[in-house]
Amino acid sequence: MSAKAKNKRVYGWGRSTHSNSLVYENTTIEGVHKVVEAAKKDGLRVACRGAGRSYSDNTLNDDQVVLNISRMNRIFHWDPQTGIITAAAGATIEEILLHCVPSGWAFPVMPGTRFVTLSGALSNNVHGKNALRRGCIGEHVQSFQVILADNKLYTCSRMENKELFNSVITGLGLLGIIVEVTLQLRKIPSYYIASQVSKHKNFHGLLETYEKLKDKYEYSIAWVDAIKQGSGLGRGEINYANFVEDGDYRIKDHKIPKRLFGLIPNDLVPHIAKVFLNTQTMKIVNSLQVHTGAFSLDVLYDKVSLSKYHYLMDMKFPKYNFFFRHGFFLYQPILPTENSSVGFQELLKITHKYGFYSVMSALKAYREQNEDFLLPFPLEGYSITMDIPKNKSKIKKQVKMFYEMNDCVIKYGGRLYLGKTPVLSSNQFYAMYPNLNNFLSIKEKIDPNNLFESNMYRRIMRVNHDDLKAPSIYAI
């Protein structure tokens, strides 16, 4: 296809699954047009990839094209008076923050890593610790430009090509390639927040308190011990914060330390983790956290930078995805508020029954989305994340566990976040996302030959071709 295209093994960020693909690293809109033209001529299918921070297989493409746009990262226009920024779709949250925070503006919604690109943020409609207050990133997009399967460039907004606007956002990169985004940033009173914590002996008590305090704070997130059983099931702590209103826009505590705890070089940490990270050691770590709060002390101050507060994992464990011998599954369901206590406790018990425990779990509050995006994740409720190490020798048993967990999520009226969860059957996907047929009909209209595909698309949207089989879940 191109002299710049290379055959590479490409991983999801959780490193539990990969594809061998023809990877094209692009820098210009003209280059995207050339890749689309060549792919159509050669009968190949294209998956778009930004910074590679999606955990599973929605940017992977077996024996097909992966178009990497992460080098398309120019900032075209920034207005510090209105807070409106226009940038290429490969620009990251970090690049925009560093550019705009000194003027008193920041992303209205930020996920747990600053290395997400604008394209990835829109395709997955990312959310953060203030999802209850500000929703997902799509609500703050003014417009974007996208190249469709006809290889033409379209501008999409709430007034122009509205159907495309609502389907490309949340569309997992399956309708076209986003190349430029205009976003409304948020005026903030400071780059610093004041953070507090409350500790709870079980999940019921934690959720009860979360319900009482969630509306009083801009940011909130709870750490949950997903290993403890019995009366302490789901014990944990809630961290909540509001802005400090002091007009301080200095960006501090943003650089990733070269050493963990000032002692261990970051390059060595994954090798150590692969030896010592297991259920027994995590029981000890969780117990230390419950009794001392040692691992969250550095964000419990009257003045903490947003970098330190939001990007704790980036700062402490920048190579966390290499901690596991065979990668890990990040499972993220959301449940309605009224079902969250019983539903999440049942999910934890399922992981205990199968013996595949989450080594890291967090809980956040959400509201319904205020837009008509076709594949929405948010509900009026809570979501939990579960980092479950992949067990290569027991993968069929793990898949069975995830299918049982998926059925539990459906039973309680929830759904899974598609940017993270790789184990999902077609029937379960349809049950969670009733708008899927509408989405597929739009895709049929603008991409009738399925130019834009991914492993996830073929696997869970019932799409098969004579020359290209859907990936097997057992190959993950």
Side-chain angles (χ1 to χ4, degrees), residues 315-417:
M315 306 292 279
K316 285 185 177 293
F317 308 116
K319 296 188 176 182
Y320 176 72
N321 58 328
F322 286 90
F323 281 21
F324 309 89
R325 290 182 181 275
H326 305 294
F328 71 102
F329 300 109
L330 201 158
Y331 188 85
Q332 184 174 8
I334 189 168
L335 298 179
T337 302
E338 63 271 19
N339 296 336
S340 289
S341 183
V342 61
F344 287 133
Q345 289 183 74
E346 188 170 324
L347 285 172
L348 290 176
K349 289 176 181 178
I350 292 173
T351 66
H352 297 165
K353 180 179 74 172
Y354 281 87
F356 302 119
Y357 298 89
S358 170
V359 298
M360 184 76 69
S361 288
L363 185 82
K364 292 195 294 285
Y366 292 73
R367 63 162 168 76
E368 293 274 3
Q369 68 175 17
N370 290 336
E371 306 270 359
D372 294 324
F373 305 128
L374 275 187
L375 299 177
F377 174 68
L379 298 167
E380 186 77 29
Y382 292 85
S383 84
I384 193 169
T385 57
M386 302 182 188
D387 295 5
I388 299 177
K390 177 183 175 182
N391 189 316
K392 193 173 182 180
S393 64
K394 298 180 180 179
I395 186 63
K396 290 188 178 182
K397 184 179 179 182
Q398 279 196 303
V399 168
K400 183 179 179 181
M401 178 189 74
F402 284 123
Y403 282 167
E404 185 173 333
M405 293 170 72
N406 296 345
D407 286 337
C408 177
V409 171
I410 293 168
K411 178 176 70 173
Y412 288 112
R415 58 177 68 112
L416 300 180
Y417 186 53

Side-chain angles (χ1 to χ4, degrees), residues 140-155:
H140 308 278
V141 175
Q142 288 207 332
S143 65
F144 59 82
Q145 291 187 329
V146 61
I147 295 174
L148 300 186
D150 61 8
N151 211 6
K152 295 179 181 179
L153 184 69
Y154 294 82
T155 298

Side-chain angles (χ1 to χ4, degrees), residues 227 276-287 357 359:
I227 299 176
F276 293 103
L277 183 60
N278 56 55
T279 301
Q280 297 307 314
T281 58
M282 287 309 301
K283 283 183 178 179
I284 296 171
V285 170
N286 289 351
S287 182
Y357 298 89
V359 298

Side-chain angles (χ1 to χ4, degrees), residues 44 163 286 377 460:
L44 295 171
E163 185 180 63
N286 289 351
F377 174 68
I460 64 175

Side-chain angles (χ1 to χ4, degrees), residues 5-19:
K6 296 180 180 179
N7 287 303
K8 289 185 179 180
R9 175 169 287 193
V10 184
Y11 285 87
W13 201 77
R15 299 188 68 80
S16 63
T17 184
H18 67 268
S19 68

